[in-house]
């Protein structure tokens, strides 16, 4: 024989929260408190027309003062870009530091060089000699990098843009 406990029925929960009375002026405070309806917040007032998704979630500009030294960074990225263009380094290593347009050019040159590489090319080294920097605005710098590339002297011109708390190569010219 089993005994069952009676089912307990609870009242349905309230669908709106209780209101918070609004502050009132000193005169007639008691009367207003009795007659005024309490304030209940409905929907959150957000203006979605104020900014587009691209402005809020897209790339954000970073100031040069918040970023690493542009001269040192230009020397390191130039070395990496030339190594990618020679097919020595995989292009994915510079993807984060370049715009899609610059990445496409560098990766294409690297894939062509990788197909033409020989055993003698493995000893091929590049070395940065000098970096000249020109700061165009608080978040844009242009650098010209002089490097020794095997038996040749090369020049690279880079436009560095401060974006998402890092330098990004926005334009590249190889000479």
């Amino acid at each position: 024989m089993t005994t069952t406990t009676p089912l307990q029925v609870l009242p349905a929960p309230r669908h709106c929260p209780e209101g918070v009375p609004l502050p009132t002026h000193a005169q007639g405070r008691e009367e207003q408190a009795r007659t005024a309806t309490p304030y209940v917040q409905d929907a959150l007032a957000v203006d979605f027309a104020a900014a587009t998704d691209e402005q809020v979630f897209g790339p954000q500009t970073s100031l040069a003062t918040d970023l690493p030294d542009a001269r040192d960074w230009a020397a390191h990225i130039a070395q990496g870009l030339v190594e990618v263009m020679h097919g020595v380094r995989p292009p994915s290593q510079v993807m984060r530091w370049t715009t899609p347009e610059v990445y496409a050019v560098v990766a294409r040159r690297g894939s062509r060089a990788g197909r033409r590489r020989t055993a003698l090319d493995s000893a091929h080294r590049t070395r940065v000699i000098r970096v000249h920097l020109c700061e165009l605005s608080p978040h844009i710098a242009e650098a010209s990098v002089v490097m020794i590339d095997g038996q040749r002297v090369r020049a690279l011109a880079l436009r560095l843009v401060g974006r998402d708390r890092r330098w990004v190569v926005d334009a590249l010219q190889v000479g």
Side-chain angles (χ1 to χ4, degrees):
M1 173 169 176
T2 61
T3 59
T4 59
T5 59
L7 183 63
Q8 184 180 7
V9 178
L10 298 174
R14 291 183 58 155
H15 65 280
C16 351
E18 291 195 23
V20 177
L22 293 172
T24 59
H25 295 291
Q27 48 181 297
R29 181 175 286 170
E30 295 85 23
E31 182 182 328
Q32 286 181 353
R34 282 192 306 262
T35 60
T37 58
Y39 171 75
V40 176
Q41 179 177 348
D42 264 344
L44 184 60
V46 177
D47 184 10
F48 289 106
T52 64
D53 286 348
E54 183 65 27
Q55 291 170 329
V56 176
F57 301 109
Q60 302 295 315
T61 303
S62 299
L63 297 176
T65 55
D66 301 333
L67 299 173
D69 182 43
R71 185 180 311 277
D72 293 339
W73 197 87
H76 290 296
I77 195 65
Q79 176 84 31
L81 290 171
V82 170
E83 288 176 2
V84 168
M85 288 187 280
H86 283 309
V88 177
R89 180 186 292 249
S92 59
Q93 289 186 1
V94 297
M95 179 184 284
R96 177 174 155 78
W97 313 108
T98 58
T99 60
E101 297 81 16
V102 172
Y103 176 77
V105 170
V106 171
R108 186 172 45 247
R109 286 183 72 165
S111 68
R112 272 193 252 140
R115 289 190 296 257
R116 291 190 312 248
R117 263 181 82 191
T118 63
L120 298 175
D121 291 337
S122 61
H124 186 85
R125 291 281 302 162
T126 59
R127 187 169 45 103
V128 174
I129 299 173
R130 192 175 309 119
V131 177
H132 297 281
L133 191 71
C134 176
E135 294 182 12
L136 302 177
S137 74
H139 64 278
I140 297 175
E142 287 188 349
S144 59
V145 181
V146 180
M147 22 186 10
I148 293 180
D149 184 12
Q151 299 298 318
R152 299 175 60 189
V153 175
R154 285 189 174 266
L156 269 73
L158 309 166
R159 175 177 290 138
L160 308 174
V161 177
R163 189 177 297 148
D164 295 332
R165 296 186 308 237
R166 65 179 183 262
W167 287 114
V168 175
V169 179
D170 190 42
L172 171 68
Q173 185 69 43
V174 180

